[in-house]
Every structure is written in structure tokens, then in C-alpha cells.
Amino acid sequence: MAGQSCRFVQARKPEGGSGVFRLTVRNTMAHLDSEVKEECLREDLKFYFMNPCEKYRARRQLPWKLGLQILKIVMVTTQLVRFGLSNQLVVAFKEENTVAFKHLFLKGYSGIDEDDYSYSVYTQEDVYESIFFAINQYHHLKNISLGTLGYGENEDNRIGLKVCKQHYKKGSMFPSNETLNIDSDTERDCLHIDLQALSKNPQDWKNSSFFRLEFYRLLQVEISFHLKGIDLQTIHFRELPDCYIFQNTITFDNRAHSGKIKIYFDSDAHIEECKDLNISGSIQKNTQYILVFDAFVIVICLASLILCTRSIVLALKLRKRFLNFFLEKYKRHVCNADQWEFINGWYVLVIISDLMTIIGSILKMEIKAKNLTNYDLCSILLGTSTLLVWVGVIRYLGYFQAYNVLILTMQASLPKVLRFCACAGMIYLGYTFCGWIVLGPYHDKFEDLDTVAECLFSLVNGDDMFATFAQIQKKSILVWLFSRLYLYSFISLFIYMILSLFIALITDSYDTIKVTNYQYLLPPKYCKFCTDWNIGKCYSLYLLKMLQFYLDFQVL
């Protein structure tokens, strides 16, 4: 039994040795596998932070996104220029018609608006003559107008003018006795005058009791009418014409009861699809070419969108691999700020630009086909997308050390500048409210809050200083003295102190970037991680902050 036991034991020895050997081999294989994974992760990180030229030299990978972005810049800019020229025709047609309407329907209009209203009248006779003049001009529009205009239906589906007056319900006033008895509630009366009534004896509707105005109760008189027009100038540019509806309103404002009635003219133009267009020539063919070009722009932007989205998805996967590796090997979590370094902000900018270009191009195609008429929204989308496309060019200039100073300076100074602007903005708002409440009744540039803000901003930039000082009325000596103290203190504070500090912040960031010569420094608390995981020489001088902290960076 002893021998058997010994033999059993002896027989087990080689088995035990074989187990140790297998365990050693298994550990060795696991270590090799870990090294292989680490090496793969290292190479993937190197490749991710390369620029397109370095990627091509490393793996002979063609820079598809770079070539596509260059093509997209040319296509999008060409599309914007063509649309801008077309949009200028639309805006010019609206503005010129508005000026023509003012000369047609406003009696004695000089061609220059008085402040924010067209002109003003000061006698009852002038009020009646202005009202009757506008009505008569509407009646004889086709005989006197130079434009392609016709009568349109109003909101009641009726052709003609709608005259409304708003006044206090009842009351009596005797200024000589300083006596006033009035009901503050208002009422609105309207009268519709169609073309048939205008064709009859004018005295019939002029003598109507509706036009007997009690000016001490009158608040305003409003004349509204719709006109239709066709923009024929687009034909010269080989485009289909647009049909317009002009909603015109003439307002006689007597709310102040100051002896001065302000007359406003407002024209709101809407583009509608023409019901029947029969145009011979090559216009239709030219429109098809433009639609094909817009479709090609959409395809280019869609391809760019897919490639950039794919790059972001791959970056998120790479970040996940890095976080898991760092947690397993060093038992530490990577901070959120360093995790965001994997997200390329330029790709996000390109994606936003592509989406806006695609939507804007679709709207442009619908506008060109006369299915939609929203020029403003389309111009905002295309204009903003083109802005973002050209801003994205800075990314490629940043690959060259001499041109990268702008990007690095903006990145370094932006947080400090935002904090500084938040503090300076509080002082600016204080001056804005103070100027509005004190100087508003005595200065045109301080009547509204937005006007005050614009005026103060122009003063900060050194514009129109003398005019701002000179236009303050001297009706109140106290306010005049306060205005001097207000303006001198604002100019001195913002130009000589705040603006100088603002420039100093940016200059300080630029000097810092210039001294460091674009080399990244490792914080001491991460040095132990850098020596444990040595990357060696990097492929690019533009590695992001995450690699500064976790990789052993050596400048080429």
C-alpha cells in the first residue's frame, strides 16, 4: 500500500508540474495578449489624432473627408451666390413697390419719412383731404400706376377699401373751462367701400356720416386694401416670375391728441404661386439645371454628414476602449474634461452645417419650383451654413504651426473672455436702463431700450460721439448736466478700462501660446501614469489635452 501510495504520489508529480507549466503559459499568453491590445490601442490613438496628411503617410489612406469638404465649400458658396442674387431681386421689388405706394396714396409725400412715420398733418382739412386722396387714388389705380398692379381681395373676400375709425365711446371737452367728461372705453366702426360705390358720384360717400370725425374723441383712422402684382424682372435673369399680394394699411394716429396726427404707411408683401404661367423661351430649361445643381449639393452634404457622423461614432468607441483600459491598468477614472477631447468639435460643426445646407437646399428647390415662398427662412439657413463651412476652413489651416496661433489663442482666451464679459455686461445693462429712463424723453437715441444698447455699443467703438453729445436737448438743465456725467463716465469706464482689459486678456493668452511654442506640458500628478504607459514619439504636434495627461509626450 505504501508503494502504491508512493507511486501515486510520484505519478502525480509530473501532473502537478504540467499544471504549473500550463498556468505559466496561460499567464504568458494573457500578458502577450494584453500587450497586443495595448499596442493596438496605442496605434489607434496615434492614428485618430493625426491630420489627413499624416494619415496618408502612415497608412496610405486617402483623405476623403478633406477632398469632400473642399468640393462642398465650392458648391455651397456657388449656391449661396446664386440664391443671394435671386433674393436681392425679391427684396428690391418689395421695397420699390412700398416707395411707389407711398407716392401714390399719401398726399404731399416728400419721399423721405419723418422719423418712424411717413409724414404728419396739423389741420382738420388736411386730414379729410388725405383720407379722400387715398380713396380716389385707389379708385383710379389702373390709370395712374406704372407697375403691374391689380385689385386684390381682402380678408372678407371683397374687393375694395376698408376704412375703420377708433374713438372713445362718448364724451365732451371744454379746454377753456378746463372741463373734461369722457368715457375711456373705445369702440371701432368700419366701412367697406367697393369699386362700384367709388364709380358713382364721389359726393355720395364723402358726405357719409361715417366721415364726420370728432377729433377730440378720435384715436385713429385706418384705411386698408389689398393689391396684386407680378414681378417681371426675374424673366431677364431666366427665372420664373413671382406673384405678390400687398396688404397695405394707412394709419392716421391721433392717440397723443397733441394737434399733430402722424400718418403711417405699412405694406406687407406675400409671395404666392401664380395660377397660370405661360412663358416661352429657355427659362424652364434653366430652372431644371438649377434644380439639378441643388440636388447635387444635397448629395455632397449628405455624404459629408455620413462621413463625419461615422468619425464621431468611431471616436466614441475608441474613447470607451481607452476608458476601460485605463480603469483596468491604473484603477483610475478619466475626468470628463479629458473624455471630451475624443469628440472633435470640427466634426460637430460640419454636421450642423450639412444639416442646415440640406434643409436650405430643399427649401430653395421648392421656392424655385414655386411650391414655397419662404425666402427669409431659406436665406437664413443657407447663409448660416455657408458661414459655418468657411469657419471650418480654419481647421485645415490649424495643421500648419504658423497658422495655428489663432485657434490656440481663441481656445485659451475664450473662458476668461466669457467670464469678463459676464461681469462687464452687468455694468453695461445698468447704463442701458439708466440712460433709457433719464435721457429717453430728451434724446432720440435713448427712446427705446434696444436703441440705447446700440447707441452705447457704438460709443464703445468710438462712433458718433459728438452727435450723441450735441443732440441732447437743453430743456432741463438738470438732465443736461446729468447727461454729461453719464456719457463721460461711460466712455471713460468702457473705453479706457474695460475695453483695455478685454484686449489684455486676449494678448496675455497670445503671449502664453507664443512662449510655449505650441508644446504641451505634463502636470506632475500624471507623470507616474506617463512612465507606466510610454507612447514614445508622437506623430503630430497637435495631440489634444487627453494625450498630454496620459501619454508620455515627446516633442518631435
Side-chain angles (χ1 to χ4, degrees):
M1 292 294 294
Q4 292 179 356
S5 175
C6 183
R7 287 195 300 270
F8 177 77
V9 174
Q10 291 177 355
R12 293 288 300 271
K13 286 180 181 180
E15 182 177 352
S18 176
V20 173
F21 176 76
R22 286 196 298 270
L23 180 61
T24 304
V25 172
R26 194 178 298 115
N27 292 336
T28 303
M29 293 298 294
H31 180 70
L32 291 176
D33 183 62
S34 176
E35 289 185 350
V36 170
K37 290 182 178 180
E38 181 177 338
E39 182 65 25
C40 291
L41 179 59
R42 182 189 302 123
E43 293 298 327
D44 290 341
L45 285 172
K46 290 178 183 179
F47 188 77
Y48 175 74
F49 288 103
M50 291 179 186
N51 62 46
C53 297
E54 292 170 337
K55 289 181 179 180
Y56 177 75
R57 288 195 294 265
R59 298 185 183 179
R60 296 298 175 183
Q61 177 176 319
L62 294 177
W64 296 106
K65 289 194 292 292
L66 174 60
L68 192 64
Q69 294 303 319
I70 295 175
L71 177 61
K72 188 180 73 173
I73 290 174
V74 177
M75 300 291 293
V76 169
T77 304
T78 304
Q79 181 192 47
L80 181 72
V81 170
R82 291 189 60 88
F83 181 76
L85 295 175
S86 178
N87 195 28
Q88 284 182 358
L89 297 178
V90 174
V91 175
F93 184 76
K94 293 180 180 180
E95 292 180 349
E96 291 175 1
N97 273 274
T98 301
V99 174
F101 292 154
K102 290 181 179 180
H103 283 279
L104 283 174
F105 299 105
L106 299 182
K107 180 179 176 60
Y109 179 66
S110 63
I112 301 176
D113 289 351
E114 300 180 13
D115 202 3
D116 59 337
Y117 51 91
S118 298
Y119 74 109
S120 55
V121 292
Y122 300 90
T123 64
Q124 297 183 13
E125 181 181 1
D126 289 339
V127 174
Y128 285 116
E129 288 182 356
S130 298
I131 294 175
F132 296 150
F133 177 82
I135 297 175
N136 286 326
Q137 290 292 97
Y138 176 83
H139 178 213
H140 300 288
L141 179 65
K142 292 185 177 180
N143 298 327
I144 60 177
S145 175
L146 299 176
T148 56
L149 298 175
Y151 298 111
E153 298 178 349
N154 57 19
E155 58 273 7
D156 299 328
N157 296 324
R158 302 172 65 181
I159 297 178
L161 299 104
K162 184 178 181 182
V163 184
C164 296
K165 61 180 181 180
Q166 184 181 9
H167 51 80
Y168 295 115
K169 283 187 176 181
K170 59 181 179 179
S172 60
M173 181 176 59
F174 302 97
S176 57
N177 298 330
E178 300 180 352
T179 303
L180 174 65
N181 181 18
I182 198 166
D183 187 353
S184 60
D185 293 333
T186 61
E187 59 183 2
R188 180 182 176 90
D189 299 329
C190 294
L191 173 67
H192 182 82
I193 306 176
D194 54 22
L195 290 176
Q196 294 180 354
L198 293 175
S199 301
K200 298 178 182 179
N201 187 2
Q203 297 300 327
D204 293 342
W205 54 268
K206 284 185 179 180
N207 295 329
S208 173
S209 60
F210 179 84
F211 290 104
R212 297 173 185 173
L213 305 177
E214 297 178 347
F215 288 93
Y216 71 92
R217 292 198 301 132
L218 181 67
L219 294 176
Q220 71 175 23
V221 177
E222 185 178 280
I223 303 174
S224 59
F225 54 92
H226 291 190
L227 298 176
K228 291 184 177 181
I230 300 177
D231 184 9
L232 296 180
Q233 64 178 333
T234 56
I235 296 179
H236 300 289
F237 298 90
R238 298 184 180 277
E239 295 183 7
L240 295 176
D242 292 320
C243 293
Y244 290 79
I245 292 182
F246 298 96
Q247 300 178 0
N248 300 317
T249 304
I250 304 174
T251 304
F252 298 78
D253 188 3
N254 191 40
R255 296 180 182 274
H257 288 89
S258 59
K260 174 182 178 180
I261 293 183
K262 301 176 182 178
I263 301 178
Y264 298 85
F265 185 92
D266 180 62
S267 182
D268 190 9
H270 297 280
I271 304 176
E272 290 192 353
E273 181 182 359
C274 297
K275 296 181 179 179
D276 186 14
L277 286 177
N278 186 13
I279 303 174
S280 59
S282 59
I283 294 180
Q284 196 69 28
K285 192 174 182 180
N286 182 71
T287 302
Q288 293 176 356
Y289 290 151
I290 296 176
L291 293 177
V292 171
F293 179 81
D294 293 335
F296 186 61
V297 172
I298 293 176
V299 173
I300 294 295
C301 292
L302 188 61
S304 173
L305 176 65
I306 294 174
L307 289 177
C308 291
T309 304
R310 173 180 172 271
S311 298
I312 290 181
V313 172
L314 294 178
L316 293 176
K317 292 181 179 179
L318 181 61
R319 182 179 69 172
K320 185 177 181 181
R321 288 172 55 195
F322 177 78
L323 296 179
N324 293 335
F325 171 81
F326 201 79
L327 183 62
E328 292 175 0
K329 187 165 185 176
Y330 301 112
K331 311 302 180 186
R332 292 288 298 272
H333 292 280
V334 181
C335 64
N336 293 329
D338 297 329
Q339 294 183 30
W340 279 103
E341 298 293 349
F342 282 92
I343 306 301
N344 194 329
W346 295 111
Y347 288 157
V348 178
L349 185 71
V350 172
I351 289 175
I352 296 175
S353 173
D354 290 336
L355 289 174
M356 298 182 72
T357 304
I358 291 173
I359 298 174
S361 299
I362 294 175
L363 290 177
K364 182 177 179 294
M365 295 175 67
E366 292 295 323
I367 291 174
K368 187 62 61 177
K370 304 305 177 184
N371 296 326
L372 291 177
T373 58
N374 199 336
Y375 278 87
D376 293 336
L377 178 59
C378 183
S379 61
I380 291 174
L381 291 173
L382 293 181
T384 307
S385 65
T386 307
L387 169 64
L388 298 180
V389 166
W390 280 99
V391 169
V393 177
I394 301 177
R395 171 198 176 195
Y396 302 107
L397 295 178
Y399 295 145
F400 304 94
Q401 184 173 350
Y403 296 98
N404 197 34
V405 61
L406 174 61
I407 300 176
L408 295 177
T409 303
M410 292 176 61
Q411 291 177 348
S413 62
L414 185 60
K416 294 183 290 186
V417 167
L418 291 179
R419 290 191 293 267
F420 181 81
C421 289
C423 297
M426 301 299 104
I427 305 176
Y428 191 85
L429 287 176
Y431 270 93
T432 301
F433 285 107
C434 178
W436 171 59
I437 194 65
V438 178
L439 304 180
Y442 302 95
H443 201 297
D444 295 338
K445 295 182 179 180
F446 291 84
E447 290 182 351
D448 303 317
L449 278 175
D450 55 342
T451 308
V452 177
E454 294 167 359
C455 176
L456 295 181
F457 187 78
S458 65
L459 291 177
V460 171
N461 292 276
D463 297 335
D464 212 18
M465 284 191 178
F466 177 77
T468 304
F469 277 94
Q471 291 178 5
I472 296 179
Q473 302 175 11
K474 296 184 178 180
K475 295 181 179 180
S476 174
I477 300 299
L478 181 62
V479 174
W480 185 84
L481 292 175
F482 177 84
S483 68
R484 264 47 190 170
L485 177 63
Y486 172 85
L487 291 175
Y488 279 122
S489 63
F490 176 82
I491 293 173
S492 302
L493 179 62
F494 273 83
I495 292 183
Y496 301 125
M497 184 179 295
I498 295 180
L499 189 59
S500 299
L501 290 175
F502 181 84
I503 297 174
L505 289 176
I506 301 176
T507 304
D508 179 66
S509 299
Y510 173 76
D511 292 338
T512 303
I513 297 298
K514 189 176 179 180
V515 169
T516 56
N517 195 23
Y518 316 115
Q519 297 180 9
Y520 296 96
L521 302 177
L522 292 173
K525 64 177 181 178
Y526 288 104
C527 287
K528 59 179 181 180
F529 305 132
C530 302
T531 55
D532 289 341
W533 188 26
N534 185 8
I535 288 299
K537 289 187 177 182
C538 301
Y539 280 85
S540 175
L541 287 172
Y542 307 103
L543 291 179
L544 301 180
K545 192 170 108 178
M546 185 279 307
L547 289 181
Q548 304 170 30
F549 287 170
Y550 303 115
L551 307 180
D552 186 13
F553 182 86
Q554 299 178 10
V555 181
L556 286 174

